[in-house]
Amino acid sequence: EYKAIKRDKFIKYSNFSKFREDLDQLFSQYQFLKSSYNFNGRVVLKEFIKVKMTIKIEGQYQKLKRFIYDIRKTKKFIYLINSVRLKKSKSGILGNFAMEVYFVK
């Protein structure tokens, strides 16, 4: 199952700080009113490390949609969005995402 994935294309877990920087840069790019993320643990698999995380962002719907698109099109890491909750707020949309991000060892 993992052999089909080219390991050299993805961020290594040792570069986890680069992943955080890229995420912060996306938050800044879209000028969200509020943004935060939490890491909820990691699991070591055969060739990968799975990191569970939650993202909370608030802003305009179009920007939130573009943010999701940008995460989807990245080739730097493997991710799985487990749940998305959107709620209307005074200033736009509040989005809560539960995700898993996979890094190579």
Side-chain angles (χ1 to χ4, degrees):
E1 163 182 348
Y2 297 120
K3 291 180 182 179
I5 298 171
K6 295 186 179 187
R7 294 172 43 95
D8 60 337
K9 300 282 185 192
F10 298 99
I11 294 177
K12 291 185 177 184
Y13 187 74
S14 60
N15 293 329
F16 187 73
S17 61
K18 173 69 173 133
F19 167 74
R20 292 176 64 150
E21 288 173 16
D22 289 349
L23 195 56
D24 288 336
Q25 185 177 11
L26 275 177
F27 287 160
S28 178
Q29 175 184 336
Y30 288 111
Q31 302 171 343
F32 291 123
L33 301 170
K34 295 179 185 174
S35 59
S36 65
Y37 52 85
N38 294 307
F39 299 101
N40 308 320
R42 68 184 181 126
V43 176
V44 178
L45 304 171
K46 186 175 180 179
E47 295 184 38
F48 295 92
I49 296 176
K50 174 175 74 172
V51 177
K52 293 183 178 184
M53 66 180 296
T54 55
I55 296 177
K56 295 181 182 183
I57 49 181
E58 184 175 357
Q60 297 173 352
Y61 176 75
Q62 294 297 352
K63 289 182 179 181
L64 192 102
K65 192 171 152 181
R66 285 183 107 122
F67 172 79
I68 295 169
Y69 176 78
D70 280 349
I71 288 178
R72 285 187 51 211
K73 73 177 184 176
T74 186
K75 304 290 186 216
K76 295 180 182 177
F77 56 90
I78 304 168
Y79 72 94
L80 174 65
I81 298 176
N82 292 322
S83 70
V84 176
R85 288 182 291 154
L86 301 175
K87 187 166 80 171
K88 188 173 180 175
S89 68
K90 291 180 182 178
S91 54
I93 299 290
L94 176 63
N96 291 298
F97 303 86
M99 300 174 62
E100 295 173 0
V101 183
Y102 293 81
F103 301 86
V104 293
K105 287 184 179 179

